[in-house]
Amino acid sequence: MDNSFFVLSKQQVNISRFDICTWDFEKNNSFLEMGMQIENNTERHLDMILAIPLITSSDTVKDLLPVIGRDPKTSRFIFNDRIEKFDPIDGSVDNGVNIVFEDNGPMTIIPATDIKTDTAAGVVSFSCDIPQSAAQRIYVRILIITDLPTIAHVHNGIAKATYLYDIKLNEKRNLPDNIQYMTETGYRICRVEECTCQHIVPKMYDIAFVDGSMLKNIRTLEEEFFSIFLPDRKDLKTDAYMIVTNSSKNKDSDTFFTVFDKETIGTKQIVFAIGADILCNLLFAAGSIRTIKNTINSELELLNEIPFEFWAACVIFIIVVMVFFGGRIKIPLLKGKKLTIKL
């Protein structure tokens, strides 16, 4: 999977910070967020392109201003700074939001408009109109809901799965042909002063490798943030995810390599091993019973010769099979009804 991203613009744009955030959920498709902090200059209109090779026609791309501007708590989480002032432009969040942070001062979050996806070229294009009342620092952020379970390279082993995140931004060493063409037709690759890369993954993952020189922090994803940022994700568990944040400054291109391990030997694998062991023993016992049968004339005598442990093993094996295939027993009752017993 190609996770080499580029940010381009038709205008002269100075990006003081670029944010990449990946979301890996336990039972859902992954998310990819990209945000950029732009220094306000004389330009009132910006034409931007994000080169995202993994983009497909089934992916959904959204502007995150309605989410960020809906509640100051979301902005506080994203920018990790207390908010002193939160003021929608012209009384509507749709126009943007002027924010004053306690430590980092004023910033204006503006909408990404006219969002278009070109899957053949692997790009997302959008426009930004900068209001007259905008602060010196401008921020825009988009969300890509992918059709993939993860954007990491996954290597499955017997006992564990390894997730390799190899994220690159503006890596010009092997410049793709479509990016080269864009640079020849009016677009330019934007210089990024600082890039942050966050991976939000289940806490069950173990961090196998992270570049210590880039690691900024590791923390638990707050429950409060889930309820604001992802109100529709009812399947998320409290304090079940962690955030690993990396940061790089003053480079022509940025590369973030992070590796997570996930143990794949779980309850079902253990139940399967127990069931397989019991089954093997039952098969050996069945061979012995067949030998005894040849020396006994009546079935009643045969049943008396079979030890109690054999029948107990049969019952345990049946229970193990039921647990492995769902853990429910359905007993037919009268009038078409069923009694369900959950193990």
Side-chain angles (χ1 to χ4, degrees):
M1 188 180 299
D2 189 355
N3 289 333
S4 184
F5 308 129
F6 291 86
V7 53
L8 304 94
S9 176
K10 273 188 177 181
Q11 294 75 24
Q12 184 67 41
V13 173
N14 179 27
I15 299 178
S16 54
R17 193 180 93 180
F18 192 90
D19 297 324
I20 302 171
C21 181
T22 69
W23 292 74
D24 265 24
F25 301 102
E26 292 184 50
K27 298 179 181 179
N28 290 281
N29 294 342
S30 62
F31 288 0
L32 174 64
E33 293 178 62
M34 289 190 174
M36 61 191 78
Q37 180 178 293
I38 303 169
E39 296 301 313
N40 192 1
N41 53 29
T42 57
E43 299 286 352
R44 296 291 95 188
H45 178 83
L46 301 178
D47 297 297
M48 307 295 299
I49 283 182
L50 292 173
I52 307 173
L54 58 85
I55 197 79
T56 66
S57 57
S58 58
D59 295 346
T60 302
V61 183
K62 295 181 178 181
D63 172 38
L64 281 177
L65 173 62
V67 178
I68 301 174
R70 182 174 56 192
D71 195 312
K73 294 178 182 178
T74 309
S75 296
R76 185 183 66 187
F77 174 87
I78 292 175
F79 300 106
N80 196 26
D81 197 352
R82 292 176 61 87
I83 295 175
E84 294 183 345
K85 185 179 180 181
F86 193 86
D87 185 23
I89 297 175
D90 296 332
S92 175
V93 172
D94 295 336
N95 300 322
V97 179
N98 284 320
I99 302 176
V100 178
F101 294 102
E102 184 178 70
D103 295 329
N104 295 317
M107 173 189 286
T108 300
I109 305 175
I110 60 174
T113 59
D114 195 26
I115 297 175
K116 296 178 181 177
T117 302
D118 184 347
T119 56
V123 300
V124 174
S125 61
F126 60 91
S127 301
C128 295
D129 292 310
I130 303 173
Q132 293 292 336
S133 60
Q136 181 60 33
R137 294 180 302 142
I138 301 163
Y139 193 83
V140 59
R141 194 176 182 103
I142 65 169
L143 168 69
I144 299 102
I145 303 175
T146 76
D147 195 32
L148 302 167
T150 178
I151 68 168
H153 302 271
V154 182
H155 296 274
N156 292 306
I158 297 175
K160 67 178 181 180
T162 301
Y163 293 76
L164 292 85
Y165 288 91
D166 188 10
I167 306 295
K168 300 181 180 69
L169 179 67
N170 292 346
E171 177 61 68
K172 303 174 186 176
R173 181 175 55 184
N174 298 311
L175 195 66
D177 292 339
N178 64 324
I179 304 300
Q180 180 66 42
Y181 176 76
M182 292 176 195
T183 60
E184 295 171 355
T185 54
Y187 283 90
R188 63 191 78 187
I189 298 175
C190 301
R191 176 172 174 77
V192 176
E193 295 179 11
E194 178 182 2
C195 182
T196 63
C197 180
Q198 292 182 317
H199 300 299
I200 301 178
V201 298
K203 269 189 176 181
M204 68 176 69
Y205 288 14
D206 296 321
I207 301 174
F209 175 81
V210 64
D211 189 338
S213 64
M214 295 184 179
L215 181 63
K216 194 171 182 181
N217 60 60
I218 302 171
R219 70 180 192 271
T220 299
L221 188 65
E222 295 88 341
E223 176 189 3
E224 180 183 21
F225 179 67
F226 271 138
S227 61
I228 299 172
F229 192 71
L230 300 171
D232 299 328
R233 304 307 291 263
K234 305 299 183 183
D235 56 324
L236 297 176
K237 300 176 183 177
T238 302
D239 296 332
Y241 291 83
M242 64 178 174
I243 309 174
V244 179
T245 304
N246 298 295
S247 180
S248 175
K249 293 183 179 181
N250 301 318
K251 295 182 180 180
D252 292 332
S253 62
D254 301 281
T255 300
F256 302 95
F257 189 74
T258 309
V259 182
F260 297 93
D261 285 336
K262 177 187 177 182
E263 298 293 334
T264 55
I265 297 181
T267 304
K268 278 205 169 184
Q269 286 78 5
I270 295 173
V271 170
F272 178 80
I274 294 172
D277 182 65
I278 295 174
L279 178 61
C280 290
N281 284 285
L282 289 174
L283 292 174
F284 282 118
S288 300
I289 293 172
R290 189 179 300 111
T291 303
I292 297 172
K293 182 180 179 181
N294 296 329
T295 62
I296 297 176
N297 296 324
S298 70
E299 293 183 358
L300 183 60
E301 290 182 27
L302 177 63
L303 291 175
N304 290 331
E305 289 294 330
I306 297 175
F308 167 78
E309 290 81 3
F310 177 83
W311 302 114
C314 290
V315 172
I316 294 173
F317 179 73
I318 293 171
I319 293 174
V320 167
V321 170
M322 290 179 174
V323 171
F324 185 80
F325 288 103
R328 292 175 182 269
I329 304 173
K330 291 186 177 180
I331 303 174
L333 299 177
L334 296 175
K335 297 182 180 181
K337 296 183 180 180
K338 292 182 179 181
L339 173 64
T340 301
I341 301 176
K342 187 174 180 181
L343 300 177

